[in-house]
Amino acid sequence: MDGFISINCDFSFPETVKYPSIPCYVDNTTTVYPISGNAFLTGPEFLLARKQGAEFTIKNAFYIAPKTNCRLQNR
């Protein structure tokens, strides 16, 4: 995957999904995985949730393209 994507969305998993994959943080030490809610997702989190059948209402999405010609050279 090239670049980085961040998505602000409302989501809802089908009731048949036993383990929803989107984390929501209650506080500094508590994370829950609800059937529905609002979250900021990265591209891989979005793809996994979509594969589980989640439906989304996307509010904002941002894509940051990778820099070109930034490979490290061995000297």
Side-chain angles (χ1 to χ4, degrees), residues 10-67:
D10 292 326
F11 65 90
S12 178
F13 285 93
E15 292 292 328
T16 57
V17 174
K18 190 171 183 178
Y19 299 108
S21 61
I22 298 177
C24 292
Y25 305 100
V26 176
D27 58 31
N28 288 339
T29 61
T30 307
T31 305
V32 296
Y33 293 82
I35 285 286
S36 64
N38 178 273
F40 285 91
L41 306 176
T42 62
E45 290 171 322
F46 175 79
L47 293 175
L48 176 59
R50 191 174 72 174
K51 190 172 184 177
Q52 289 181 303
E55 294 182 2
F56 300 93
T57 301
I58 297 176
K59 297 177 180 183
N60 294 302
F62 301 95
Y63 174 71
I64 301 170
K67 282 187 169 182

